[in-house]
């Protein structure tokens, strides 16, 4: 069997696996590489050369620098200004989408979205705006902004490196700007003027209480003398229940332990502060003999006086002791009750002081595409024992899942309501691969070095513009200096590198080269030329754009660029034309993943918080894709003539 036939079979199976989604794309890419080596399509000694490819190194360096921007506070300064836009939806869209477009040009577009996503959620909550009207424009804006520079998105880096291998000269930092900026500006105008009107409005899902109904589930349960749970550890309690019911705190003799920190056995008189609905409460009573720790009248009064915990968190900046209000009853509530009792009846000497969640943090987080939680359950992850986190609820498609928590297998885009210790919450979320939504003030633990971060990045850009250093070397040097001067801790730098994307690129680069060396790319190009020999070259560029765009909506955009670059070069060779406009078409179209939530991580990240369904994306994505096509092709031919 001819080599090009084998390459087509391998790539066909690889694309099918990408679309199927049963296995993560990095595993699929690695499998394609191994099969290609076994079949002799890729020389064994060159199998892993892709991991040292300049494109891979550049992507890793950009990811580290992007995390450095977050760590140093560069984006926080911008976010503070965005929050001042007021309650007009148009101004909110302009501020959010415009900011993410600019940021995505100079940092990883997923990183830019991740930084502004909590800002968008806060705007939606403070001004009673449906988050669905803000989040899809934000995601699409991050994709548009990535078109403007070399480092804005992986396809640009891949195309630049491929051009270097073809012509001996790579695209520079701002070679993408003339086309990318015009396209981004046109897309931005479309989104804020018309596009947002095409987004389905999901009402009533902007707050934690509305999405998860948390206010109805916080209860105190008491271990009585006849309770079966007396003598059990919390782990034994969970095992007996066969359910993960979060124990937020245990109170004994006026002393309180966080649930994950309580390692002893329960005994008579202990109070358990738990998140439990009616079904869970019945289960706790039947199997563990636990009852409400206060009388019905007092419990009703406490629930009526309880302030929403998310409001307390949002007001933390203006009230230093706000974390003490995240409870069933606060000290001010107790004082008010005492004054009322003095005016009416005598205060009961036996009045019980309710347990508080002081020291615990409540946070919403969205599961990223590269999260270790995907396709795993809370039990398999050992969230409580290993990370000190309680899973309180899971929302998917904008609504709370009602099935048992222990049976839920997490998916990308799921929104989780978690509670854990303030000291380690941020680190635990980063390790798990979750993006915090409800809070932006998670402890970072390092001083801000805003000016240093900007200066280091500016020097790297200058070195690239002056051709002093290749992009991969300049950006790696900038990342190294950032680590040496303390902008970013080394451990966090390693965490910032998106492992699945690195493996995808490193594995698919040799496979993509096999498509070219086997003659497969030439065969595809010849077929296109034969089919369109009566068509003008513009028609073939439109066809190339549409194929790349559709491919990027079902597989990773970096993989789409890797596969389409050799075909574009072969088409250019068939026409005897410059390769530049063909490669630019692939660069732009590979970043136009506006039709599905699976084409790009930015789309997936907003799916859960926005309450979107799979079919919602094409409503704004299709006209936006056509607009990009109409605007970009004339600009490409103007800037990069045939």
């Amino acid at each position: 069997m001819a080599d090009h036939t084998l390459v087509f079979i391998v790539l066909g199976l690889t694309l099918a696996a990408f679309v199927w989604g049963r296995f993560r794309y990095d595993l699929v890419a690695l499998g394609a590489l191994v099969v290609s080596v076994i079949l002799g399509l890729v020389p064994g000694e060159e199998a892993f050369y892709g991991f040292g490819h300049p494109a891979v190194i550049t992507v890793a360096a950009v990811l580290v620098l992007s995390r450095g921007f977050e760590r140093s506070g560069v984006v926080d300064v911008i976010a503070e200004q965005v929050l001042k836009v007021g309650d007009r939806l148009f101004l909110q869209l302009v501020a959010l989408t415009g900011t993410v477009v600019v940021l995505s040009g100079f940092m990883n577009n997923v990183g830019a979205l991740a930084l502004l996503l909590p800002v968008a959620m806060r705007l939606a909550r403070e001004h009673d705006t449906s988050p669905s009207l803000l989040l899809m424009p934000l995601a699409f804006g991050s994709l548009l902004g990535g078109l403007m520079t070399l480092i804005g998105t992986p396809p640009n880096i891949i195309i630049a490196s491929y051009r270097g291998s073809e012509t001996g000269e790579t695209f520079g930092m701002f070679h993408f700007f003339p086309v990318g900026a015009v396209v981004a500006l046109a897309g931005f105008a479309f989104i804020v003027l018309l596009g947002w009107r095409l987004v389905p409005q999901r009402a009533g899902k902007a707050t934690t209480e509305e999405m998860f109904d948390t206010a109805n589930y916080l209860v105190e349960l008491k271990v009585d003398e006849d309770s079966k749970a007396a003598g059990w550890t919390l782990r034994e309690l969970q095992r007996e229940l066969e359910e993960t019911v979060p124990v937020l705190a245990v109170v004994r003799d006026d002393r309180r332990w966080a649930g994950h920190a309580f390692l002893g056995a329960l005994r008579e008189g202990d109070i358990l502060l738990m998140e439990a609905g009616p079904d869970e409460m019945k289960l706790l009573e039947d199997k563990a003999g636990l009852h409400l720790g206060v009388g019905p009248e007092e419990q009703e009064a406490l629930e009526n006086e309880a302030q929403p915990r998310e409001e307390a968190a949002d007001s933390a900046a203006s009230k230093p002791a706000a974390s003490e209000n995240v409870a069933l009853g606060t000290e001010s509530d107790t004082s008010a009750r005492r004054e009322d009792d003095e005016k009416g009846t005598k205060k009961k000497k036996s009045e019980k002081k309710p347990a508080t969640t002081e020291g615990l943090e409540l946070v919403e987080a969205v599961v990223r595409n590269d999260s270790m939680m995907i396709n795993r359950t809370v039990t398999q992850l050992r969230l409580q024992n290993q990370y000190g986190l309680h899973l309180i609820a899971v929302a998917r498609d904008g609504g709370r899942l009602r099935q048992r928590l222990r049976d839920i297998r997490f998916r990308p885009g799921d929104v989780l309501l978690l509670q854990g210790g303030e000291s380690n919450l941020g680190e635990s979320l980063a390790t798990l691969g979750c993006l915090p939504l409800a809070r932006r003030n998670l402890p970072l633990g390092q001083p801000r070095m805003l000016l240093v971060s900007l200066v280091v990045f500016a020097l790297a850009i200058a070195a690239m513009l002056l051709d002093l250093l290749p992009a991969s070397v300049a950006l790696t040097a900038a990342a190294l200096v950032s680590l040496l001067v303390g902008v970013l801790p080394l451990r966090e730098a390693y965490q910032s590198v998106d492992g699945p994307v690195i493996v995808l690129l490193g594995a698919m680069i040799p496979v993509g080269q096999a498509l070219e060396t086997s003659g497969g790319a030439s065969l595809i190009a010849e077929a296109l030329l034969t089919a369109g020999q009566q068509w003008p070259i513009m028609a073939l560029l439109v066809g190339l754009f549409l194929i790349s765009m559709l491919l990027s909506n079902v597989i990773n955009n970096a993989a789409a660029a890797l596969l389409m670059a050799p075909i574009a070069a072969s088409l250019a060779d068939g026409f005897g034309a410059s390769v530049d406009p063909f490669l630019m078409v692939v660069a732009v179209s590979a970043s136009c993943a506006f039709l599905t939530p699976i084409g790009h991580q930015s789309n997936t990240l907003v799916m859960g918080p926005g309450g979107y369904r799979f079919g919602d994306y094409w409503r704004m994505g299709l006209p936006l894709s056509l607009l990009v096509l109409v605007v970009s092709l004339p600009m490409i031919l103007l800037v990069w003539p045939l």
Side-chain angles (χ1 to χ4, degrees), residues 198-277:
L198 305 176
V199 177
Q201 182 172 348
R202 310 293 187 206
K205 301 299 184 183
T207 65
T208 306
E209 289 77 19
E210 290 169 335
M211 181 176 287
F212 294 112
D213 301 326
T214 57
N216 298 325
Y217 289 83
L218 186 62
V219 296
E220 292 181 32
L221 297 173
K222 184 178 180 181
V223 180
D224 294 327
E225 181 180 2
D226 57 347
S227 295
K228 300 177 184 177
W232 291 356
T233 64
L234 294 185
R235 182 179 297 182
E236 290 171 337
L237 173 64
Q238 301 285 8
R239 186 164 56 243
E240 183 67 24
L241 296 175
E242 298 182 351
E243 175 61 282
T244 304
V245 182
V247 181
L248 305 182
V250 178
V251 180
R252 176 183 295 169
D253 299 331
D254 295 326
R255 185 178 178 186
R256 188 191 63 83
W257 289 268
H260 68 274
F262 184 82
L263 303 178
L266 297 172
R267 64 191 189 198
E268 180 185 355
D270 286 349
I271 298 292
L272 278 64
L273 183 65
M274 305 186 73
E275 288 282 353

Side-chain angles (χ1 to χ4, degrees), residues 300-311:
E300 182 179 357
L302 291 176
E303 289 179 352
N304 291 335
E305 292 166 0
Q307 296 181 358
R309 284 168 288 173
E310 192 61 32
E311 291 181 9

Side-chain angles (χ1 to χ4, degrees), residues 618-634:
W618 70 269
R619 299 185 183 185
M620 181 167 71
L622 181 58
L624 180 57
S625 299
L626 296 176
L627 175 67
V628 172
L629 170 63
V630 170
V631 173
S632 63
L633 284 181

Side-chain angles (χ1 to χ4, degrees), residues 226-367:
D226 57 347
S227 295
K228 300 177 184 177
W232 291 356
T233 64
L234 294 185
R235 182 179 297 182
E236 290 171 337
L237 173 64
Q238 301 285 8
R239 186 164 56 243
E240 183 67 24
L241 296 175
E242 298 182 351
E243 175 61 282
T244 304
V245 182
V247 181
L248 305 182
V250 178
V251 180
R252 176 183 295 169
D253 299 331
D254 295 326
R255 185 178 178 186
R256 188 191 63 83
W257 289 268
H260 68 274
F262 184 82
L263 303 178
L266 297 172
R267 64 191 189 198
E268 180 185 355
D270 286 349
I271 298 292
L272 278 64
L273 183 65
M274 305 186 73
E275 288 282 353
D279 294 338
E280 290 85 355
M281 288 177 62
K282 186 176 187 306
L283 190 67
L284 287 163
E285 183 173 357
D286 293 343
K287 291 197 171 185
L290 298 176
H291 307 281
L292 286 176
V294 294
E297 295 180 0
E298 186 178 359
Q299 177 69 24
E300 182 179 357
L302 291 176
E303 289 179 352
N304 291 335
E305 292 166 0
Q307 296 181 358
R309 284 168 288 173
E310 192 61 32
E311 291 181 9
D314 289 339
S315 62
S318 58
K319 296 181 180 181
S323 61
E324 296 178 6
N325 295 332
V326 187
L328 282 174
T330 61
E331 293 181 4
S332 60
D333 294 332
T334 305
S335 299
R337 289 199 302 272
R338 287 175 179 172
E339 291 177 4
D340 291 340
D341 289 340
E342 289 174 358
K343 292 179 181 180
T345 59
K346 294 182 179 181
K347 183 180 66 174
K348 297 179 181 179
K349 294 183 180 180
S350 60
E351 181 178 1
K352 182 182 294 292
K353 182 179 179 180
T356 72
T357 56
E358 180 182 355
L360 296 178
E361 193 84 33
L362 185 70
V363 66
E364 290 171 76
V366 61
V367 179

Side-chain angles (χ1 to χ4, degrees), residues 382-398:
R382 298 171 57 86
L383 279 186
Q384 179 177 351
N385 296 330
Q386 190 164 346
Y387 300 98
L389 295 176
H390 295 279
L391 178 66
I392 297 173
V394 180
R396 186 176 293 162
D397 297 331

